[in-house]
Amino acid sequence: MSADRQTDVLIIGAGPVGLFAAFELGLFNMSCRLIDCLDRAGGQCTAFYADKPIYDVPGHPSIQAQELVNRLLLQIAPFKPQFSFDRTVAGIRRLEDRGFEVSTDRGELFEARLVVVASGGAIQPKGVAKGASPTEWGLELCDGVISVDAEKFETAVPGIFAIGDIASYPGKLRLLLSGFHEAALMAQAARRIVNPNQRLSVQYTTTSTSLQRKLGVAD
Ligand SMILES: Cc1cc2nc3c(=O)[nH]c(=O)nc-3n(C[C@H](O)[C@H](O)[C@H](O)COP(=O)(O)OP(=O)(O)OC[C@H]3O[C@@H](n4cnc5c(N)ncnc54)[C@H](O)[C@@H]3O)c2cc1C
């Protein structure tokens, strides 16, 4: 398989939570590809309420939904995530010792060490009724959502994570800030799998020169 079809983490859904997941994973040197059945990033924010103000994003007394998406795209740009739009994830197959093979409704195949399902729930993938739901990927749905543990956000299938509106655990709130928190904890768990020898310590973007170099804001 060509190198551009291989990635550390394949994220299903380029909504706000999938986008922020690419940031958190990027801080730990993991490459990402995001696949979305829509023709652009932003999920519900872009599709349902792009011009509406959001009032409960920390640090933003008010921010238009599309502006938030634009800022998320700017924030993840240093990590150069790959995007595949207008494609629905049709299948996920475990590969022996090598992670997962993910197929799309266009017949493309991608390989990833880990898969993150950030597919929301409110947007019905266009045109594809079969092979597009988490059930078809071997994941169990309960009331339309995937049960995860609230520490790692891993599903019942090791190596497949779920975050954002599609994920469920006791006390879950379908809010942006919950999805962003879930992305941060998922990334901690993911790096233990992808980079098991990496030293584990919490670093602040404010003070860590190493993180700032990754973000392109320090020499
Ligand atoms: C009108 C409205 C107002 C809201 N206001 C607020 C608010 O004020 N504050 C707040 O915190 N939250 C608000 N929300 C909720 C917030 O938008 C969601 O919690 C958030 O969008 C969830 O992000 P997500 O990335 O998990 O999912 P989504 O935004 O749903 O994105 C999921 C993406 O996955 C893609 N996808 C799905 N299945 C597949 C597949 N098989 N293959 C490829 N791609 C797939 C979809 O196309 C979509 O782009 C509001 C929601 C709505 C509808």
Side-chain angles (χ1 to χ4, degrees):
M1 180 173 283
S2 62
D4 69 320
R5 291 286 173 91
Q6 294 174 325
T7 184
D8 289 327
V9 183
L10 190 140
I11 302 172
I12 305 174
V17 176
L19 293 177
F20 192 63
F23 178 79
E24 290 292 325
L25 292 161
L27 287 179
F28 298 130
N29 303 320
M30 284 175 270
S31 60
C32 294
R33 175 175 291 276
L34 297 97
I35 299 182
D36 203 297
C37 49
L38 301 180
D39 64 0
R40 67 196 67 184
Q44 293 173 51
C45 290
T46 298
F48 295 154
Y49 60 109
D51 56 352
K52 293 242 179 327
I54 308 174
Y55 300 104
D56 56 352
V57 175
H60 293 277
S62 166
I63 184 166
Q64 231 182 17
Q66 188 58 52
E67 177 62 12
L68 177 67
V69 171
N70 294 346
R71 285 170 182 259
L72 284 165
L73 286 166
L74 265 181
Q75 193 173 23
I76 64 177
F79 303 122
K80 300 184 172 57
Q82 305 293 308
F83 289 96
S84 299
F85 292 117
D86 271 325
R87 287 151 171 83
T88 298
V89 168
I92 304 176
R93 188 169 70 87
R94 182 180 282 287
L95 301 169
E96 217 171 291
D97 297 335
R98 277 187 299 134
F100 299 90
E101 181 185 76
V102 175
S103 58
T104 71
D105 60 339
R106 294 199 183 190
E108 298 149 315
L109 297 177
F110 296 95
E111 269 184 30
R113 294 282 308 278
L114 304 173
V115 173
V116 174
V117 183
S119 59
I123 300 174
Q124 206 50 40
K126 318 171 273 196
V128 184
K130 271 195 187 156
S133 100
T135 321
E136 305 293 329
W137 308 333
L139 300 171
E140 232 173 83
L141 283 181
C142 184
D143 292 333
V145 288
I146 302 171
S147 290
V148 290
D149 68 87
E151 182 194 352
K152 299 190 225 161
F153 295 91
E154 202 163 23
T155 67
V157 180
I160 303 185
F161 296 80
I163 55 175
D165 277 12
I166 192 68
S168 174
Y169 52 90
K172 164 75 183 178
L173 290 174
R174 284 186 165 198
L175 287 175
L176 294 159
L177 63 85
S178 313
F180 295 156
H181 159 83
E182 292 156 19
L185 290 189
M186 173 280 296
Q188 292 283 345
R191 77 166 171 168
R192 290 188 181 94
I193 299 171
V194 173
N195 301 313
N197 299 323
Q198 205 176 43
R199 204 162 50 90
L200 292 177
S201 65
V202 172
Q203 295 183 71
Y204 297 122
T205 52
T206 325
T207 50
S208 161
T209 314
S210 135
L211 291 184
Q212 288 168 6
R213 281 203 194 100
K214 291 177 196 174
L215 292 167
V217 293
D219 299 330

